[in-house]
Amino acid sequence: MPINEILKQYWGYDSFRPLQEEIIRSVLEGHDTLGMLPTGGGKSLTFQVPALALGGLCIVVTPLIALMKDQKDHLVERGIKAAAIHIGMSHDDIVATYDRVIAEDYRFLYISPERLETQLFLAKLRFMDVRLLVVDEAHCISQWGYDFRPPYRRIAAIRDRIPASVPCMALTATATEATMRDIQEKLHFRPGAQVFKASFMRPNLCYRVSHVEDKCFALISLLREVECAIVYVRSRQQTREYAQMLTQMGIPANFYHAGLSPSDKQSRQDAWMKGEFPVIVATNAFGMGIDKPNVRMVVHVDLPPSPEEYYQEAGRAGRDGLASTACLLANTNDVRRLRKHLDMEFPERDFCRMVYQKLSSYWQIAIGAAEQCLFEFQLERFCAVFHLPFSDVHYALKILDQAGYISYIEEPDRHSRVMMTASRAALYRIPLNPEENLVLRALLRHYTGLFADYVFIRETDLMFWTRLTRKQVYDILVRLTRKKMLHYVPAREVPAIVFRTPRIDEAEIRIPRSVYEDRRERLAARIDAMIRYVEADDTCRLITLLDYFGEHISQPCGNCDVCTGRAPESASDATDNAVRNDIASFLSRQTGPVPLATLVSALAARWPPDDITRIVRQMTDKGEIRLHDFQLQLNE
């Protein structure tokens, strides 16, 4: 079926957006293809349409569970057979999904990069009629990208297991020239590969930087009449504080961050998507794959560490093509804080070695022990025991992870898993005590697929079948892991550390330049570019942003704060003085600090809330009012 008919039949569109058709035709001609389309540019259609035209199966590699579920559901709603393999599925469900994909001529299989290396996937791949391989969020494959993820580096290995004629397609919304070259190299793009790069121009999106000393009041003013907005902050604590403050001020808001349970994340995302509250305050854990068209404003309360991250997040505004705003709130402390972030993210090598040694002491691990052993890990407790700074330890662990000594797993995992690592024949050659034998037999008798992939287990079931205590079951599974018979990943409500190699003396730790100096230099360049964007008050914001991505325009946008000039405050001096007097009078009658919302409510009959918050901001800047934890008090 011609691609225009596919587009019309399944999506109801009469024509493609810019570059979509060129990307699709490149894939249909068999070329490896890299497509860079901005957020909201219709990336998914560029592989969904050619996949239907090619027939067979399209494997889509993506790290985003929310995105894979969303796209799979949309395809199924259109009568297109699609499936997704993601964490949270039982082994039996995974096997059944693979079998349906093979037997029932599915068109799409969404899968995470980590799954590509499992024995189960590789075994099933031999029976799949793969016609197209797609790598979404492809900047994750490049160390030049801002969101590098090591499992992405191994995606190219499956190209050796599918027909050589199958084209590989990589998609991203944000990539510099260096990142785009690296993506092609790491995915083993063949001669004749084609690259399509859409303009970063979003004509409906107005970029603004507001230089303010008090961001709370600025945020309230921005969001007072907004239909739908995302507010990005840099810490989990801030998400809760700003959401509570906005709600108190009559702007319903909720918060979102990576530390929430999966059910909380899903329920809050769904409620915001349905419009149950207009504002969501979030860390950068929120947003990738979120397709809400009517976001009128994206506000960054803190400076992101890179233009790539900023452009990606800001681009979630105005996906319906209507006028929208991306506003970044900046003050005199932000540049210093961002430069400090660079030093924090790269603690000294000796500090990293010391953290490794402290980990070994913490769990009393001997030299040569603990390979592939998992330990539940509470960072706050660890830092308290050894009197170490929280942030420095966090980033030291990330460097040790990049260097290959440990895996630093920051998210909880509420499902225990086991996979057999020894062959069936080897199981009978390894000496076991009676209790170990009991647990092993129970596993093999009651769970299937253990030799092919990780299988979810329940320790309570093993306790019932073996008549052992929970501690005995746990200890035996750990011992069997150390004997390399199986790999046991216990459920946990907290982060974890896995020793990927046997414990060595800290003096032997080697942190290569690629992990340290090279990554630091790239982050420093991105931070410098972000600071230039904020401080370039004499250059169109769009020109500054596009220059970074290698796109050069000579005509200013005419919409940003630099092009239009900052609007003067609206209230007259006389009104300002009257509002100021009422605020001072109200606060002087209080016996202690009061919430901002209480002040606004008390004066709402006389003055508009925007005028009240604006004057409070001015009084705070002048030292007339003290503001702490969103509580106001008059300075004497």
Side-chain angles (χ1 to χ4, degrees):
M1 185 187 300
I3 59 174
N4 290 84
E5 291 184 22
I6 292 173
L7 182 70
K8 181 67 175 177
Q9 176 178 333
Y10 290 105
W11 285 275
Y13 300 138
D14 294 316
S15 60
F16 290 100
R17 293 184 187 181
L19 273 191
Q20 282 183 329
E21 186 169 357
E22 292 90 330
I23 294 173
I24 290 168
R25 294 199 181 281
S26 171
V27 173
L28 293 178
E29 291 167 4
H31 299 294
D32 288 340
T33 304
L34 170 57
M36 192 177 73
L37 295 173
T39 300
K43 292 192 297 296
S44 58
L45 282 182
T46 63
F47 68 83
Q48 290 170 346
V49 170
L52 293 175
L54 288 167
L57 179 69
C58 172
I59 294 179
V60 185
V61 183
T62 175
L64 307 171
I65 294 176
L67 178 59
M68 67 168 69
K69 287 180 178 178
D70 185 59
Q71 289 196 7
K72 185 262 292 184
D73 290 344
H74 279 95
L75 289 168
V76 171
E77 288 171 4
R78 291 174 168 81
I80 301 168
K81 289 186 175 181
I85 302 290
H86 54 81
I87 192 168
M89 297 173 65
S90 70
H91 177 77
D92 290 344
D93 286 342
I94 291 172
V95 172
T97 300
Y98 282 139
D99 290 343
R100 284 198 305 273
V101 168
I102 294 167
E104 300 176 21
D105 291 328
Y106 271 58
R107 291 290 171 258
F108 296 90
L109 174 63
Y110 288 83
I111 193 166
S112 68
E114 293 82 2
R115 283 278 169 191
L116 299 180
E117 297 179 296
T118 63
Q119 296 179 40
L120 178 59
F121 171 78
L122 295 175
K124 297 295 184 181
L125 180 63
R126 294 185 289 121
F127 303 99
M128 296 178 185
D129 181 19
V130 181
R131 305 284 183 87
L132 178 62
L133 173 64
V134 176
V135 181
D136 201 5
E137 305 297 338
H139 58 269
C140 297
I141 204 171
S142 171
Q143 291 205 52
W144 290 94
Y146 69 95
D147 194 21
F148 168 65
R149 301 185 188 191
Y152 259 70
R153 299 296 291 271
R154 300 184 285 274
I155 292 173
I158 73 163
R159 299 199 71 181
D160 297 331
R161 297 173 177 266
I162 57 180
S165 59
V166 173
C168 179
M169 187 179 188
L171 295 168
T172 183
T174 49
T176 61
E177 294 294 334
T179 301
M180 293 171 71
R181 288 192 298 270
D182 203 27
I183 289 170
Q184 297 175 73
E185 177 188 335
K186 297 302 187 297
L187 287 176
H188 298 174
F189 270 27
R190 302 167 300 192
Q194 299 196 23
V195 177
F196 298 89
K197 180 180 177 181
S199 170
F200 280 84
M201 292 277 289
R202 291 280 303 278
N204 66 309
L205 193 55
C206 172
Y207 293 96
R208 302 186 71 85
V209 175
S210 294
H211 295 275
V212 295
E213 286 307 310
D214 195 297
K215 296 182 179 183
C216 295
F217 300 120
L219 189 61
I220 293 166
S221 298
L222 285 170
L223 300 178
R224 181 68 69 183
E225 303 296 334
V226 171
E227 171 188 358
C228 179
I230 304 173
V231 177
Y232 282 109
V233 295
R234 301 303 296 178
S235 75
R236 297 177 182 184
Q237 182 178 344
Q238 283 179 301
T239 63
R240 176 184 276 98
E241 290 176 349
Y242 275 99
Q244 290 175 344
M245 182 270 293
L246 289 170
T247 300
Q248 289 173 352
M249 293 303 300
I251 304 171
N254 210 330
F255 62 94
Y256 185 106
H257 56 69
L260 297 173
S261 69
S263 59
D264 277 347
K265 289 179 185 177
Q266 193 63 52
S267 64
R268 293 180 192 201
Q269 177 180 311
D270 290 345
W272 179 74
M273 292 288 287
K274 293 173 184 176
E276 294 179 13
F277 49 87
V279 178
I280 190 149
V281 185
T283 60
N284 61 3
F286 180 81
M288 293 184 79
I290 303 301
D291 188 12
K292 186 169 174 61
N294 67 328
V295 178
R296 295 277 75 87
M297 182 174 287
V298 171
V299 183
H300 282 79
V301 175
D302 301 295
L303 268 60
S306 73
E308 291 98 331
E309 191 170 332
Y310 178 66
Y311 179 83
Q312 179 101 342
E313 292 166 358
R316 289 166 193 143
R319 296 186 68 164
D320 56 6
L322 300 181
S324 303
T325 301
C327 185
L328 198 159
L329 303 179
N331 62 27
T332 53
N333 294 321
D334 286 328
V335 171
R336 176 185 55 79
R337 190 178 298 116
L338 202 54
R339 293 203 186 281
K340 183 180 179 183
H341 173 78
L342 177 64
D343 293 330
M344 287 173 54
E345 192 156 330
F346 291 90
E348 296 293 333
R349 278 185 170 88
D350 284 344
F351 183 84
C352 297
R353 294 187 183 99
M354 182 267 290
V355 168
Y356 180 87
Q357 185 272 326
K358 296 296 186 188
L359 288 174
S360 305
S361 299
Y362 192 55
W363 290 301
Q364 299 182 341
I365 300 171
I367 298 289
E371 181 181 10
Q372 295 303 320
C373 287
L374 179 146
F375 301 90
E376 289 195 351
F377 180 69
Q378 293 183 331
L379 181 57
E380 297 88 346
R381 183 180 298 172
F382 176 82
C383 292
V385 168
F386 294 105
H387 306 289
L388 296 172
F390 181 93
S391 295
D392 290 356
V393 172
H394 169 74
Y395 287 114
L397 293 172
K398 284 182 170 291
I399 289 173
L400 291 167
D401 188 328
Q402 288 277 341
Y405 294 103
I406 65 168
S407 290
Y408 177 30
I409 308 169
E410 298 183 66
E411 298 302 319
D413 187 348
R414 294 171 175 83
H415 301 279
S416 294
R417 290 170 286 160
V418 165
M419 181 174 70
M420 302 305 301
T421 54
S423 67
R424 289 183 184 273
L427 293 181
Y428 299 100
R429 296 197 298 267
I430 301 173
L432 300 176
N433 66 36
E435 290 181 344
E436 291 171 345
N437 225 341
L438 199 61
V439 171
L440 185 60
R441 287 204 307 270
L443 283 170
L444 296 174
R445 184 179 300 122
H446 294 283
Y447 295 103
T448 60
L450 286 163
F451 290 90
D453 199 355
Y454 284 99
V455 174
F456 289 126
I457 67 162
R458 289 163 55 96
E459 287 86 349
T460 51
D461 289 340
L462 289 172
M463 291 164 56
F464 176 76
W465 295 324
T466 62
R467 304 303 180 191
L468 297 172
T469 66
R470 176 179 286 275
K471 185 177 187 307
Q472 286 175 313
V473 167
Y474 175 85
D475 289 344
I476 289 168
L477 288 171
V478 170
R479 288 204 302 272
L480 294 176
T481 298
R482 289 172 179 164
K483 291 182 177 183
K484 300 188 184 302
M485 299 186 69
L486 53 80
H487 189 216
Y488 169 52
V489 181
R492 53 189 169 74
E493 297 295 325
V494 297
I497 298 286
V498 177
F499 278 73
R500 285 153 64 179
T501 63
R503 187 241 160 144
I504 61 176
D505 187 89
E506 58 270 20
E508 299 177 37
I509 294 285
R510 298 290 181 265
I511 300 172
R513 179 180 178 84
S514 60
V515 169
Y516 199 89
E517 284 84 1
D518 291 352
R519 290 177 60 244
R520 183 185 174 99
E521 288 169 9
R522 288 194 288 270
L523 179 58
R526 290 196 289 268
I527 286 175
D528 287 343
M530 197 68 233
I531 291 171
R532 284 196 301 274
Y533 174 79
V534 172
E535 293 183 341
D537 289 339
D538 57 350
T539 305
C540 168
R541 301 291 177 196
L542 186 61
I543 288 177
T544 303
L545 195 58
L546 295 189
D547 277 350
Y548 176 81
F549 290 108
E551 182 176 344
H552 307 293
I553 59 173
S554 56
Q555 187 68 31
C557 71
N559 293 320
C560 70
D561 60 293
V562 175
C563 291
T564 60
R566 293 183 175 82
E569 300 287 1
S570 57
S572 67
D573 289 343
T575 302
D576 283 2
N577 288 332
V579 174
R580 183 176 288 103
N581 290 335
D582 280 359
I583 291 172
S585 176
F586 176 82
L587 292 178
S588 68
R589 297 194 299 271
Q590 309 306 311
T591 57
V594 296
L596 175 61
T598 301
L599 171 67
V600 171
S601 176
L603 302 183
R606 286 176 52 80
W607 309 114
D610 283 352
D611 283 351
I612 298 171
T613 55
R614 180 172 55 80
I615 299 303
V616 167
R617 183 173 68 235
Q618 292 176 8
M619 295 175 73
T620 303
D621 291 344
K622 294 178 180 179
E624 299 171 13
I625 290 176
R626 183 167 62 255
L627 174 66
H628 181 67
D629 288 341
F630 307 110
Q631 302 279 317
L632 299 171
Q633 189 170 20
L634 195 64
N635 275 332
E636 297 299 333

